[in-house]
Amino acid sequence: MKMSSNIEKKVLNLIDESKDDIVALMQKLVQIPSYTGNEAEIGEFLVEEVKKFDLDDVRIEQETIGRPNVMARYKGTSGKPSITTYAHYDTVPTGDIAKWTRGPFSGTIEDGKIYGRGVSDHKFPIPPLLFAIKAIKDAGVRLKGDIVFAFVCDEERGGHRGMKHVVDEGHCDTDHLLYSGGGGDGDKMGIAANGRAYYRITVKGHTEHTGRNDQGINAAVKAMKLIARLQELREDVNNRRDKFKSGDFEIEGKGRLSINLVNAFTTGNNVPDLCTVQIDRRFIPQVESFESTLAEVQAIVDKLKKEDPEFDAYVEFVPDRWFYPSVSVIDPVLVEALQKSASKVLGITPEINNAVGGGSSDHGWFNLKYPDRSFVSYGCGRGGNTHTYDEFTTVDGLIDNTKIYALFFMNLLGIA
Ligand SMILES: [Zn+2]
């Protein structure tokens, strides 16, 4: 059966009627702190919530005890086509709590904005995805295709316990993937994302009592030179704009480098003999690689060693924190289903673009396992301040997003 405008109207009206419930679930999710590595409580809460939506196979899948991923399935009449939709519920820490003007776990609503850590990155899509399928079911509509819902942990560290695990175990073996992005205005859909590598450089010194500090080699002071050179590399990397391709379609990529962790060790009355400097390097698909980005850092360390015989350091790739760079094949069926749904709700047709600016995300795991299958990243939460103070999303964005996902599921998966 084709989607009639009556069915469409019915579904969209049901979503309008669910507005308070959508917002309430969003607030509850934000009120549970869930830093990466501490997702047990939110996972247990969410699995019980998902059970209320009368889906199939609602369960927790975990690679590590206490690191839950909440999975569910909507079974269509034929199971074809199928799509995985997902969001991650782990978050970064709050940073300096005094800089938040609303409590980071308050879920405060003011002027149409909902505030809290993780509300936009990336708890945002969870209520829209669940209420989209609820509206479809409540309208008496049966879909032909299947939807796999994956609400996962560990994304901020690379998704190795989250999306990578559920993909590798075969739980997301679907024709497509929708990464339900949260921040934008809904004018872009992403089909690619940067790779990510953390490089840790350990600078070694020689420890001595503070009283004999002139006989020591202060690793922190030696690291200052390294930090200065890395900062120069950062200028260069951040200005990189290189094109990469999906088929004939060209996308402009952005390189990224940031020095994010610096630690010096021994104790307060000793010269430090170790200082670690860790960088977060986001690299452009097809243009840069794990090898090329590591070589740039190694070259800096090698040069410093030549210049200063006292400079001693080694570079490590930090395991379990990397993201595979991802580029999707462009599938007109997926793209058009989304464009049609978004233009109905927002009056704009989203353009194909890079997925998360200079960022990375764990749809790369799907792309790595199923390189010939298409994914798209899309959301219109109109949120902001992700990874900083006063993170927010918008009530209107939540409702619009719910409507777009509902139409998208019907357009893509077909009505039985
Ligand atoms: Zn994030």
Side-chain angles (χ1 to χ4, degrees):
M1 199 168 95
K2 258 193 96 54
M3 180 163 40
S4 74
S5 63
N6 270 349
I7 292 178
E8 231 176 63
K9 251 187 219 151
K10 204 170 168 187
V11 169
L12 298 181
N13 282 340
L14 283 165
I15 292 170
D16 280 326
E17 286 166 20
S18 305
K19 182 176 169 180
D20 291 348
D21 295 334
I22 295 171
V23 170
L25 179 58
M26 188 77 258
Q27 286 179 298
K28 282 186 201 161
L29 288 168
V30 171
Q31 286 160 356
I32 302 173
S34 51
Y35 305 132
T36 312
N38 296 282
E39 304 102 337
E41 187 184 346
I42 197 160
E44 280 159 25
F45 167 79
L46 187 58
V47 76
E48 294 308 316
E49 287 296 310
V50 175
K51 283 178 188 164
K52 297 176 189 167
F53 288 81
D54 192 27
L55 297 165
D56 293 303
D57 304 337
V58 181
R59 68 202 189 276
I60 281 179
E61 293 286 346
Q62 54 193 359
E63 192 257 8
T64 307
I65 302 284
R67 309 285 313 274
N69 300 290
V70 177
M71 305 291 295
R73 191 176 194 106
Y74 170 87
K75 285 187 183 154
T77 52
S78 72
K80 282 270 162 197
S82 57
I83 188 163
T84 297
T85 65
Y86 85 100
H88 71 84
Y89 50 55
D90 65 304
T91 75
V92 294
T94 58
D96 183 356
I97 236 166
K99 291 198 174 168
W100 286 73
T101 63
R102 290 105 181 152
F105 304 108
S106 62
T108 301
I109 301 178
E110 257 179 66
D111 298 331
K113 291 179 175 170
I114 309 176
Y115 290 89
R117 170 54 81 231
V119 73
S120 184
D121 178 7
H122 196 241
K123 297 178 179 181
F124 164 82
I126 300 173
L129 288 169
L130 290 170
F131 280 90
I133 193 64
K134 180 175 169 18
I136 289 170
K137 284 155 58 107
D138 290 351
V141 174
R142 284 282 280 141
L143 299 175
K144 289 182 192 161
D146 278 16
I147 308 169
V148 170
F149 295 89
F151 303 123
V152 298
C153 67
D154 200 42
E155 191 270 355
E156 299 292 353
R157 286 188 192 156
H160 295 253
R161 311 281 172 270
M163 201 58 187
K164 182 175 191 301
H165 171 68
V166 296
V167 167
D168 285 352
E169 293 293 305
H171 301 305
C172 303
D173 187 3
T174 52
D175 300 314
H176 311 283
L177 176 94
L178 169 70
Y179 173 55
S180 340
D185 294 332
D187 56 343
K188 293 184 186 75
M189 66 174 87
I191 59 148
N194 275 353
R196 178 172 87 181
Y198 287 172
Y199 296 119
R200 186 188 301 130
I201 304 106
T202 301
V203 180
K204 301 205 292 186
H206 176 88
T207 195
E208 285 288 351
H209 188 286
T210 303
R212 292 189 303 275
N213 72 77
D214 48 357
Q215 291 164 47
I217 299 173
N218 190 316
V221 173
K222 292 289 177 193
M224 286 164 61
K225 283 188 197 167
L226 171 72
I227 290 170
R229 299 284 167 89
L230 288 170
Q231 196 66 357
E232 286 168 18
L233 176 63
R234 172 186 166 269
E235 290 298 316
D236 169 21
V237 166
N238 280 4
N239 285 320
R240 287 181 197 168
R241 298 285 181 277
D242 289 302
K243 297 254 184 351
F244 61 95
K245 281 187 164 186
S246 170
D248 292 333
F249 190 84
E250 272 199 342
I251 305 167
E252 188 179 83
K254 269 189 211 167
R256 282 286 175 269
L257 190 159
S258 184
I259 303 163
N260 287 354
L261 291 174
V262 180
N263 285 302
F265 304 93
T266 52
T267 185
N269 55 356
N270 258 46
V271 175
D273 62 352
L274 281 178
C275 182
T276 60
V277 178
Q278 189 170 301
I279 63 166
D280 180 356
R281 180 70 163 88
R282 309 298 175 102
F283 61 91
I284 304 170
Q286 298 165 4
V287 178
E288 302 178 308
S289 63
F290 289 106
E291 291 78 13
S292 73
T293 54
L294 173 61
E296 287 176 338
V297 177
Q298 188 65 54
I300 288 175
V301 170
D302 292 346
K303 192 153 185 276
L304 283 169
K305 281 183 179 171
K306 270 194 194 139
E307 290 171 11
D308 176 2
E310 273 187 356
F311 184 85
D312 186 10
Y314 61 93
V315 186
E316 285 170 293
F317 172 75
V318 180
D320 275 10
R321 297 290 184 273
W322 52 283
F323 277 122
Y324 190 73
S326 50
V327 181
S328 175
V329 292
I330 297 178
D331 180 343
V333 173
L334 182 72
V335 168
E336 281 160 26
L338 185 58
Q339 285 178 330
K340 198 172 149 195
S341 311
S343 85
K344 180 92 197 173
V345 176
L346 304 176
I348 50 172
T349 302
E351 282 172 21
I352 298 174
N353 204 285
N354 211 340
V356 266
S360 321
S361 194
D362 50 12
H363 48 247
W365 300 121
F366 181 82
N367 192 228
L368 183 62
K369 184 155 170 110
Y370 308 115
D372 299 329
R373 301 186 193 177
S374 56
F375 72 81
V376 67
S377 154
Y378 184 79
C380 68
R382 304 177 200 108
N385 295 343
T386 57
H387 287 226
T388 185
Y389 322 109
D390 286 344
E391 181 175 351
F392 68 92
T393 192
T394 63
V395 172
D396 287 352
L398 273 175
I399 307 309
D400 284 349
N401 231 125
T402 311
K403 290 177 178 174
I404 293 169
Y405 290 157
L407 298 180
F408 173 65
F409 290 148
M410 292 193 285
N411 281 323
L412 181 75
L413 304 177
I415 296 174

